[in-house]
Amino acid sequence: MEWLICLILAAVLFVGAAVLAYIKAKTRYKRGQLLDPLKILFLGVILAAVVLFIPVYINTFKTTHCGVVETFLLSVHNVIRLFVVDGEFKFITDNLVGVSDQVYTGYTLLFAVLFVTAPVLTFGFVMSFFKNASAYWRYISHYKTDAFIFSELNEKALAAVESLQSKNRLFIFTDVSEDDSEQVHELAEQAKELGAICFKKDIVALDFSFHSKNSSIHFFTISEDPSRNVEQALQLLESFKYRDRTNLYVFSAQPESEMLLANAFDSEKNPNRPIKIKVRRVNEVRSLIFRTLYEDGYQNIFESALDDGTGEKKINAVVIGMGQHGTEMTKALAWVCQMDGYAVQIDSFDVAKNAEEKFKFACPELMAFSGKLDIPGESRYTIHIHPDTDVDTQAFEKILADLPETTYVFVALGNDERNIAVAINLRTRFERMGRKPVIQAVVYNTNKKEALAGITNYRGQSYKIDFIGDRKSTYSEKVLLNSDVEAVALSRHMQWGSEADFWKYDYNYKSSVASAIHRELKRQCGIPGIDKKPADRTEEELWNIRILEHRRWNAYMRAEGYVYSGDLDSSSRNDLAKKHHCLVAFDRLSEKDKAKDDD
């Protein structure tokens, strides 16, 4: 009877472990955690083998004082032999005496499987050990080198490493899968060519604490899952918050990420031991829009404006797609185009039926003030959201033809192929209309972007489309570590706040960057007195700049979802409710608040 019981129990243990390991492998789990698929299967084989060996010894030692202990220990001994390819199958068959044919067959079959599986697992663990040992040795031998550590091996991380390449930098990828798929293999080969170290374990499961204190560590939580990025960032923050020369880059656009990370700082305010790690949240969408406006905004938007002889140049912008990029650009154009001598109309298109309602919900007063062009000292813009519009239809072409002559187009439909096709088609449609707007389209794939540079048709006519947002540019050292616009914005923020608060809160970061962008555009547009200090400006220059800056600020705050608090008294301001007392025309401000608009 004991043979049958042990056979059934061992089969359940082995099959159960195999099934659980398979399920675990198919779902997302943290590599390096206690029970990953390989460890589950390994444990299942051990337990199944121990149970199978018990009947072999139980009769031998049933009359001794320590029979149970001896049976268990010898069973474990034979399991160890099993894993080191020292087991004897004949020993099993010789002891299967007096059992039924069914039990004999079941026992020998299951043992045969274990005799093969155990050595294979042993080999896998040995190879895994040597791989990890090699990675650890390479890391330890470079512990005095500045380290750039990525939470995942993916195309974004590789693009960053390619840009960051330097002899005095160490690159580490963690959570590197051993999947045999072609994509994973290609990524691993690229990492190898870049001289990077690859660990299987999760970034938070590895010990980087003994890295030289004189060398910097840059952590990048950069997976496709923003929630996971924040979770890992919080654990890294807890482990390295008091370390000098430590930077943490968190790739997440989720609003809760700001709150979680800021709370991690605020929960421990110890003046005797301040937090030293620097944390930066990276919003790729926002970064692209800001960078595009700062670097190319004047050339693409203001220089392309139409001069119709009225004394005010017309910026007529069209945004295709109201996803993250399109929505961010629509909002940004409203405040960027607040400029003396220019008028702006923005027409944004999306296939979603509720596109307009969603935009109004996000920034109600931005839409409420759309088209109100005759209020002195107020933002001046017109925004039209066109929902339920397919850009591949004649209905869209008719709307386009009926609009004022388009000067700038931004295409962001969430897919490279779609963005390329629509941008090319738009150039054709505009040529038919005799219009030549600037066209920018988002393309993530760097190879495609480079191949499309300067594209022409078969007659050599240029499409003049600017493809932006590829990974090589987005994850370059210039953008991630040494952003020009961020440096200027930080300098402006430091005039009234701390560097820690600049990075900690989106409100500070975004408002300072927006201010830096618009000041650069004011300079390029030749606003009188902008290059002077406020004290050196003439009276006319001073007040014109103050009014212009307040127009810009009103449009920016409304784009961020703020509304007027209903009272000019500062006590009515409520940032939790996104209500501000200064969201009024310039003339209604107090003298103190007017002076704040010096730019």
Side-chain angles (χ1 to χ4, degrees), residues 129-147:
F129 170 78
F130 280 112
K131 285 182 180 178
N132 279 292
S134 174
Y136 274 113
W137 172 249
R138 288 186 60 199
Y139 169 60
I140 293 171
S141 64
H142 291 83
Y143 89 105
K144 288 187 176 182
T145 307
D146 291 343

Side-chain angles (χ1 to χ4, degrees), residues 5 299 396 498:
I5 293 173
Q299 177 184 349
F396 167 72
S498 68

Side-chain angles (χ1 to χ4, degrees), residues 273-338:
R273 197 181 186 192
I275 294 177
K276 296 180 179 179
I277 188 173
K278 294 182 180 180
V279 180
R280 176 186 167 189
R281 290 194 314 119
V282 182
N283 182 330
E284 295 106 314
V285 173
R286 184 180 64 197
S287 174
L288 173 62
I289 301 303
F290 283 173
R291 189 169 72 253
T292 299
L293 294 173
Y294 183 74
E295 296 176 355
D296 305 314
Y298 177 73
Q299 177 184 349
N300 291 334
I301 297 172
F302 291 96
E303 281 196 338
S304 66
L306 292 175
D307 188 350
D308 58 3
T310 62
E312 196 170 53
K313 295 182 180 180
K314 303 299 189 295
I315 299 171
N316 299 316
V318 168
V319 177
I320 306 297
M322 292 290 287
Q324 292 185 57
H325 287 90
T327 298
E328 195 72 37
M329 180 59 84
T330 299
K331 294 192 294 185
L333 286 170
W335 56 263
V336 160
C337 297
Q338 298 302 307

